[in-house]
Amino acid sequence: MLNFKIAIVGAGPAGYFTAQAFQKAQSDELSFSIDMIERLPTPWGLVRSGVAPDHQKIKTVSKVFEKIAKEPNFRLFANVELGKHIYLKDLRDQYDAVVLATGASKGRKLGIPGEDLTNSLSAADFVPWYNSHPDYVQTQVDLSCDTAIVIGAGNVAMDVARILAIDPSELDPTDVAEHALIKLKQSNIRTVIICGRRGPEHAAFTAPELRDLPKLENTDVFIDPKQIEEAIKHIEEMEEVEKDLKNNIEAMKTIAEHEKKGVPRKLEIKFLSTPLEIKGNGKVEEIIFQKNKVENGKVITTSETFSVKTGLVITAIGYNSIEYPGISIENGRITNIAGHVEHNVYAVGWAKRGPTGVIGTNKSDSNDVVDLIIENLKEPKASEGITGLLKSGHEVIDQIAWEKINASEVISGEIAGKPRVKEVDWRQLISLGRS
Ligand code: NAP
């Protein structure tokens, strides 16, 4: 029986699905000892700090993660940071394979004047703020204006816009951060405009998320029917139309045409608008857009511009992976070929392919990389694994400690009528794990 030691860095969906793929690949001849290393004192990655609080159902995938974690060949080492408490070089030496499932957490920038004004934020700061990420509790968000602009036509832009546009009481029965809920309840924002630079036919939204919008109880959602009519014309000119695109346009047409409730809270999706400049005296006051049009299937700019008075701009235009010593980044992701980085180092998830796909996409992606790793494995190393790599006294959150944190949050949630109340303080999380 050959037993290989595997280190997975990053306890998000891609990390867990990688562990699961190794577990499923075990046989009478082959076994794996899996150590999952995570910077935060809590696992689950974007399922904890990314998925919108009004989408609780998506978070039930954490049950799958806990099942994976219960397997005897799995150990969790949370509160351990790559490049600070443990080094890639050492992991490479001690493990038969190292899998980087470190995601992409740096928000991409627009690169336009005024982007650094106060209250111009990246979704990479705003989303973890409302999701209780301990590093983002201090994110400064001013919700005193009446109109907010969200840049980008993807699902993150839609999450951000929804959280700003719905009645905050709808978040009462969720695990939204308490500090965010207080601010959202005091918010003056009544109009949220999502701005996409291309047409409806190019939007990165997905149909299930679009279909949920007309169901919002306290918010009217608008799309200019003319923009949808134009998009339908363009689609009719295409030789082949993908099913996802048809579903998206159908869902957007429903939004454009459905009867409005006449409520004060409004969410608008505006297409063919490229942000040119954010203006303001120290703080966001206005945003200037260039109008675009679609000609022969291509998006081209026009000389027309328009401006919107706003006090808050949130940019949701994708993410880049962060750098680690010894790892190069290309186009925002870890340089890799089909998941192979170098020697016995691999990448999965957003770190491998960039910030695309839903949680489930990581399953097939991780399966493919694990197949490749197994193909490349030869003789197991005679090494100690993680033993000796961490400084003595370094406080690791292992699976048992995490289960204590988890139980404490769920119990607090039961009392408050929520799925959980997330602890936001790093030290407090560690002490919960110790209790
Ligand atoms: P995304 O789906 O790639 O969307 C990014 C958007 O930003 C696109 O509309 C893109 O427009 C736009 N953009 C990029 N650069 C821009 C620029 N310089 N100026 C203006 N607009 C720009 O990324 P995401 O929304 O961050 O989502 C990441 C992944 O997570 C996606 O696969 C998404 O489906 C997934 N996700 C899923 C859910 C869910 O299932 N509920 C929730 C959140 C996220 P162009 O197309 O013109 O480049």
Side-chain angles (χ1 to χ4, degrees), residues 201-213:
E201 66 272 43
H202 309 114
F205 307 127
T206 49
E209 281 63 34
L210 285 165
R211 287 188 197 117
D212 277 346
L213 292 181

Side-chain angles (χ1 to χ4, degrees), residues 276 289-293 300-306:
L276 290 180
F289 288 96
Q290 181 156 47
K291 277 195 188 175
N292 302 327
K293 60 178 180 181
I300 53 169
T301 55
T302 72
S303 55
E304 254 185 279
T305 61
F306 66 97

Side-chain angles (χ1 to χ4, degrees), residues 7 26 42 64 115 124 127 143 151 204 229 257 260 303 341 354 357 374 392 395 398 413 418:
Q26 294 193 116
T42 54
V64 176
E115 194 173 9
V127 173
L143 306 177
I151 308 288
E229 275 166 34
E257 290 172 354
K260 308 299 183 259
S303 55
V341 178
I374 293 173
S392 76
E395 195 145 8
D398 59 13
K418 296 166 187 275

Side-chain angles (χ1 to χ4, degrees), residues 146-400:
D146 57 11
T147 301
I149 299 289
V150 183
I151 308 288
N155 284 336
V156 171
M158 201 196 293
D159 281 349
V160 164
R162 237 186 20 259
I163 294 300
L164 289 169
I166 60 175
D167 189 310
S169 64
E170 293 173 52
L171 294 172
D172 279 337
T174 75
D175 61 352
V176 68
E178 197 52 32
H179 57 253
L181 188 56
I182 292 169
K183 274 231 162 141
L184 288 164
K185 286 193 172 172
Q186 294 162 350
S187 165
N188 289 332
I189 294 170
R190 293 296 176 269
T191 302
V192 181
I193 310 173
I194 297 179
C195 298
R197 61 180 171 179
R198 299 196 284 157
E201 66 272 43
H202 309 114
F205 307 127
T206 49
E209 281 63 34
L210 285 165
R211 287 188 197 117
D212 277 346
L213 292 181
K215 296 180 201 153
L216 293 178
E217 279 180 26
N218 302 298
T219 311
D220 275 330
V221 186
F222 298 83
I223 299 180
D224 182 352
K226 278 193 226 123
Q227 290 198 321
I228 301 299
E229 275 166 34
E230 279 294 305
I232 290 173
K233 270 193 223 154
H234 299 145
I235 288 171
E236 282 166 357
E237 286 161 14
M238 290 178 185
E239 275 175 22
E240 213 179 317
V241 185
E242 281 181 19
K243 198 167 160 235
D244 285 350
L245 175 53
K246 269 191 203 157
N247 289 340
N248 257 15
I249 292 292
E250 200 54 48
M252 285 191 255
K253 192 167 179 274
T254 305
I255 294 173
E257 290 172 354
H258 88 287
E259 202 180 321
K260 308 299 183 259
K261 298 173 275 284
V263 291
R265 294 179 181 276
K266 296 182 174 57
L267 195 171
E268 186 187 347
I269 307 178
K270 217 177 173 62
F271 293 99
L272 297 166
S273 308
T274 297
L276 290 180
E277 182 177 3
I278 304 171
K279 287 185 161 177
N281 190 2
K283 175 175 185 305
V284 173
E285 288 172 17
E286 186 183 12
I287 178 162
I288 315 289
F289 288 96
Q290 181 156 47
K291 277 195 188 175
N292 302 327
K293 60 178 180 181
V294 181
E295 250 179 37
N296 302 324
K298 288 217 168 87
V299 180
I300 53 169
T301 55
T302 72
S303 55
E304 254 185 279
T305 61
F306 66 97
S307 103
V308 183
K309 297 279 180 214
T310 175
L312 173 65
V313 174
I314 300 185
T315 305
I317 59 166
Y319 298 84
N320 291 333
S321 291
I322 55 169
E323 285 161 30
Y324 294 97
I327 290 295
S328 72
I329 304 286
E330 215 173 77
N331 296 325
R333 55 204 156 117
I334 293 176
T335 311
N336 72 89
I337 297 170
H340 187 216
V341 178
E342 45 131 28
H343 302 289
N344 58 346
V345 181
Y346 298 82
V348 290
W350 282 10
K352 170 196 170 227
R353 63 178 195 276
T356 59
V358 293
I359 292 167
T361 314
N362 294 300
K363 198 168 175 173
S364 49
D365 192 61
S366 294
N367 285 344
D368 292 346
V369 178
V370 168
D371 285 347
L372 175 71
I373 297 171
I374 293 173
E375 245 177 72
N376 290 347
L377 285 172
K378 302 222 158 55
E379 280 295 306
K381 280 183 181 166
S383 63
E384 297 268 285
I386 203 160
T387 322
L389 292 186
L390 289 168
K391 270 198 189 140
S392 76
H394 180 84
E395 195 145 8
V396 168
I397 297 288
D398 59 13
Q399 183 61 22
I400 291 169

